[in-house]
Amino acid sequence: MATAPNSSLNPARRPRFGLRWYIWLLLVVVAYGVAFAMHWDSRGVLWVKEQFKSPAERQASIWLPDYRAVIDAKLLPGMEKDEASDLAYDPQTKTLFSVMGKNPFLVELTLQGDVLRKMPLVGWSNPEGVTVLGNGLLAIVDERQHLITIVKVDANTRELNIADFPKYDLGPSKDQNKAFEGVTWDARNQRMMLGEERPPALFVWNGDGKTLTGDKVKLASHALDMRNLSALAIDPRTGHMLVLSADSHLLLELDKKGEQVSFITLLRGFNGLKNTIPRAEGVTMDEEGNLYMVSEPNLFYRFEKQR
């Protein structure tokens, strides 16, 4: 009596469930690896927490989810090879100052991203951070030289020489090539906030807006769940801090206690962005709550809150 062929013994007819299972497993592992590297799991937790914030809590914060890009990837002409590295707002001149890291320059911009002047930074190696102290004083961080320099800029300034200004040694970093990159002046508390790129860390250095006193002190923070730290800014209205990460495509809001409040992702399709911001390196905010960013190599962004 003939019997039906046993498919389990016939390799040609055996289902390829094993291969499919391995492919799905590989996809899951890769997806998890990307999510872990980008900290999407943490962003998901924060997104859930955002949903439970009351209207009063949102009103008392910057509340980044309400922001939309109104100037998207505007080119800064003639700076394609300079690499925009940071951005700071000056409330006295109502203009922006940006540093170029590859070819050291200080650039003054309008709030619409138009170039007013370009000032060579003589003696700097790799300026990566800039902040406005007031009364024409700015602080510039050189990541390669591990220095912070306080400079004076007025309407007649055309060039700055590092030898003419006071300098402060930032000391060694765990990774000397990924050292101090973020800086912002906290006027309310008369202190300089400094950010180390990788691993992300925050430091505070007391001062009076003209000089720094003592030494920098590292802050304990568990909120910097990002791949790197690119820039810092203080909201003059709430006192909350903005922390930017180019590698994580993320802008994070921290409250005065250093706790996460809100965030936006800097990817295509989110918050009015037509395309992903390629490498966001600078952020600042004016007294009206408008948000400004620069990205390598020479892109300018302006975000406004949708009320």
Side-chain angles (χ1 to χ4, degrees):
M1 180 177 177
T3 59
N6 190 339
S7 61
S8 65
L9 300 178
N10 186 350
R13 299 186 60 183
R14 186 179 302 161
R16 301 180 66 185
F17 292 130
L19 179 59
R20 293 177 183 177
W21 185 85
Y22 279 119
I23 292 175
W24 279 109
L25 178 61
L26 178 61
L27 291 175
V28 170
V29 170
V30 171
Y32 177 80
V34 172
F36 179 81
M38 297 296 291
H39 298 276
W40 288 343
D41 51 345
S42 301
R43 300 290 75 78
V45 171
L46 180 55
W47 182 85
V48 171
K49 289 181 179 179
E50 285 182 342
Q51 310 315 303
F52 292 94
K53 296 287 186 180
S54 68
E57 289 175 310
R58 298 186 183 197
Q59 187 67 29
S61 70
I62 300 172
W63 201 250
L64 293 171
D66 286 348
Y67 279 78
R68 294 293 180 272
V70 295
I71 299 179
D72 188 352
K74 180 176 181 176
L75 290 173
L76 299 175
M79 300 181 195
E80 297 82 358
K81 299 180 180 180
D82 296 335
E83 294 186 356
S85 293
D86 200 7
L87 194 64
Y89 171 71
D90 189 333
Q92 292 179 310
T93 61
K94 308 295 183 184
T95 60
L96 302 165
F97 288 92
S98 179
V99 285
M100 305 289 122
K102 189 173 182 180
N103 299 308
F105 282 93
L106 178 68
V107 179
E108 188 173 11
L109 306 168
T110 70
L111 302 185
Q112 303 301 317
D114 298 317
V115 178
L116 297 173
R117 54 176 167 167
K118 187 175 177 181
M119 296 159 276
L121 293 174
V122 179
W124 277 267
S125 295
N126 186 29
E128 288 286 343
V130 62
T131 188
V132 172
L133 305 178
N135 299 314
L137 296 177
L138 285 74
I140 299 174
V141 168
D142 192 301
E143 184 180 28
R144 189 171 300 145
Q145 295 182 0
H146 304 276
L147 291 177
I148 182 168
T149 306
I150 297 179
V151 304
K152 178 74 172 180
V153 177
D154 59 30
N156 298 316
T157 302
R158 293 295 176 264
E159 179 181 281
L160 295 167
N161 192 312
I162 198 170
D164 298 333
F165 304 103
K167 295 169 283 295
Y168 300 86
D169 187 357
L170 289 169
S173 297
K174 184 175 182 180
D175 186 342
Q176 292 292 84
N177 295 319
K178 300 293 181 181
F180 289 93
E181 187 161 325
V183 61
T184 188
W185 174 244
D186 183 357
R188 289 188 181 190
N189 299 298
Q190 291 291 287
R191 61 184 186 173
M192 196 84 73
M193 303 299 299
L194 295 159
E196 204 167 25
E197 181 181 3
R198 189 177 291 121
L202 292 174
F203 294 76
V204 60
W205 201 334
N206 292 326
D208 60 4
K210 298 178 181 178
T211 59
L212 299 176
T213 58
D215 201 355
K216 67 183 189 301
V217 177
K218 187 174 183 178
L219 296 178
S221 176
H222 304 289
L224 297 180
D225 194 10
M226 51 182 58
R227 295 178 64 193
N228 80 316
L229 188 156
S230 301
L232 299 173
I234 296 286
D235 174 18
R237 305 161 306 156
T238 64
H240 288 192
M241 181 183 293
L242 294 168
V243 186
L244 181 66
S245 174
D247 290 350
S248 295
H249 297 288
L250 171 73
L251 181 65
L252 184 64
E253 176 189 1
L254 304 181
D255 64 18
K256 296 175 184 178
K257 296 180 181 179
E259 299 296 328
Q260 297 181 2
V261 178
S262 69
F263 77 100
I264 55 173
T265 182
L266 307 177
L267 299 174
R268 176 181 179 180
F270 291 89
N271 297 86
L273 291 170
K274 295 179 180 178
N275 293 290
T276 297
I277 298 181
R279 187 161 187 84
E281 290 287 341
V283 64
T284 193
M285 181 171 275
D286 64 24
E287 66 273 358
E288 300 297 326
N290 299 310
L291 186 65
Y292 307 88
M293 284 189 204
V294 287
S295 169
E296 291 181 359
N298 62 330
L299 301 177
F300 176 84
Y301 300 79
R302 172 172 168 149
F303 293 79
E304 294 180 3
K305 194 168 187 177
Q306 305 301 300
R307 296 175 173 83

